[in-house]
């Protein structure tokens, strides 16, 4: 699913260059649930951006879903993500002028899916929002908006789902409910789940925990 070798990412030029990733080797098998754990500034979100094809590494190689990202231009990376990779972010990034149903269905329509609204309704129902299809983001709670974002990410049936601090904007109770939902959808769909977090308790819910600090992997362990 993911095969990264000696990944580096630097910004700027010497002497002001900042090394964000400093030689990352990481392999993830299909269907795994993996937590990338580390404090703010450790490089977690940057590593996710590289693995998701949103950022090009300075060096090294990365293959995701059997595609060599180094050989793809920006358009190729966008096509590679479509239908293969879902991303859930801390900020919900819902379109305020569209209903929950439209927020999930329109990206599917733009990708050429003929059953976009049917699939969107099914996914929203699966995340417990079948009764809120016509509501707009401003009419939804933070937890409900994140559920819409999860439905939008999963509706294309991706093989790989990234969740970058998905509970960061939520209170503890709502955050727990959102993580319960993510793990339930992971189990239902079989998609590989890659969670980026600074919360050790959340990380321990994954089958595997990779700890990152200062752009380096400190530990990589699987739960017994």
């Amino acid at each position: 699913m993911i095969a990264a070798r000696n990944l580096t990412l630097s910004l700027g030029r010497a002497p002001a260059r900042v090394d964000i990733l400093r030689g990352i080797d990481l392999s993830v098998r299909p269907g795994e649930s993996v937590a990338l754990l580390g404090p703010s500034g450790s490089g977690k979100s940057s590593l996710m951006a590289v693995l998701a094809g949103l950022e090009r590494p300075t060096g090294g190689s990365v293959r995701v879903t059997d595609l060599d990202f180094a050989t793809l231009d920006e358009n190729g990376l966008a096509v590679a993500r479509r239908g293969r990779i879902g991303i859930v972010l801390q900020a919900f990034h819902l379109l305020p002028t569209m209903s929950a149903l439209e927020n999930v269905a329109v990206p599917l329509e733009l990708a050429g899916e003929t059953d976009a609204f049917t699939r969107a309704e099914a996914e929203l129902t699966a995340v417990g929002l079948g009764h809120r299809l016509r509501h707009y983001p401003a009419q939804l709670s933070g937890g409900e908006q994140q559920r819409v974002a999860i439905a939008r990410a999963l509706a294309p049936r991706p093989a790989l789902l990234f969740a970058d601090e998905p509970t960061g904007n939520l209170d503890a109770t709502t955050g727990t409910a959102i993580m319960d939902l993510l793990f339930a959808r992971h189990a239902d769909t079989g998609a590989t789940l890659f969670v980026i977090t600074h919360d050790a308790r959340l990380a321990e819910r994954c089958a595997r925990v990779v700890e990152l600090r200062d752009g380096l992997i400190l530990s990589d362990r699987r739960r017994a």
Side-chain angles (χ1 to χ4, degrees):
M1 181 57 62
I2 296 174
R5 297 290 177 267
N6 196 30
L7 277 186
T8 61
L9 179 64
S10 301
L11 297 179
R13 297 183 178 181
R17 187 178 70 182
V18 177
D19 296 321
I20 299 172
L21 302 177
R22 300 191 289 145
I24 299 292
D25 291 326
L26 180 67
S27 296
V28 177
R29 297 194 302 255
E32 279 194 290
S33 61
V34 180
L36 184 63
L37 176 67
S40 296
S42 60
K44 303 186 306 297
S45 293
S46 293
L47 178 55
M48 186 211 78
V50 171
L51 297 179
L54 299 172
E55 181 82 48
R56 288 194 179 277
T58 306
S61 64
V62 57
R63 295 185 66 89
V64 178
T65 63
D66 292 326
L67 294 175
D68 183 354
F69 278 11
T71 66
L72 302 176
D73 60 16
E74 294 303 320
N75 287 337
L77 287 170
V79 171
R81 285 191 296 272
R82 187 182 304 156
R84 293 183 177 91
I85 297 173
I87 302 174
V88 178
L89 301 172
Q90 180 175 336
F92 316 126
H93 293 298
L94 302 180
L95 294 174
T97 58
M98 290 187 178
S99 67
L101 183 63
E102 290 167 330
N103 264 281
V104 178
V106 168
L108 292 173
E109 275 198 320
L110 293 175
E113 301 293 342
T114 58
D115 59 346
F117 279 84
T118 300
R119 282 170 59 177
E121 182 173 353
E123 198 59 52
L124 284 165
T125 300
V127 300
L129 290 179
H131 62 302
R132 305 283 267 172
L133 300 177
R134 309 296 175 185
H135 289 72
Y136 291 86
Q139 299 171 309
L140 302 173
S141 68
E144 288 172 329
Q145 290 184 62
Q146 192 61 295
R147 286 172 182 261
V148 175
I150 292 170
R152 180 180 58 193
L154 286 172
R157 299 164 189 159
L160 175 59
L161 178 65
F162 289 103
D164 188 2
E165 300 285 6
T167 62
N169 283 339
L170 306 173
D171 62 76
T173 300
T174 305
T176 298
I178 288 297
M179 288 315 304
D180 289 344
L181 173 62
L182 270 176
F183 284 109
R185 299 304 292 143
H186 159 67
D188 289 344
T189 65
T192 302
L193 177 61
F194 198 101
V195 180
I196 293 86
T197 184
H198 64 273
D199 187 339
R201 292 173 300 175
L202 170 56
E204 290 299 328
R205 297 188 61 177
C206 292
R208 180 178 167 197
V209 179
V210 178
E211 187 172 359
L212 193 70
R213 193 176 296 268
D214 296 327
L216 293 168
I217 291 178
L218 291 186
S219 65
D220 186 346
R221 57 185 173 84
R222 286 182 169 83
R223 281 194 335 200

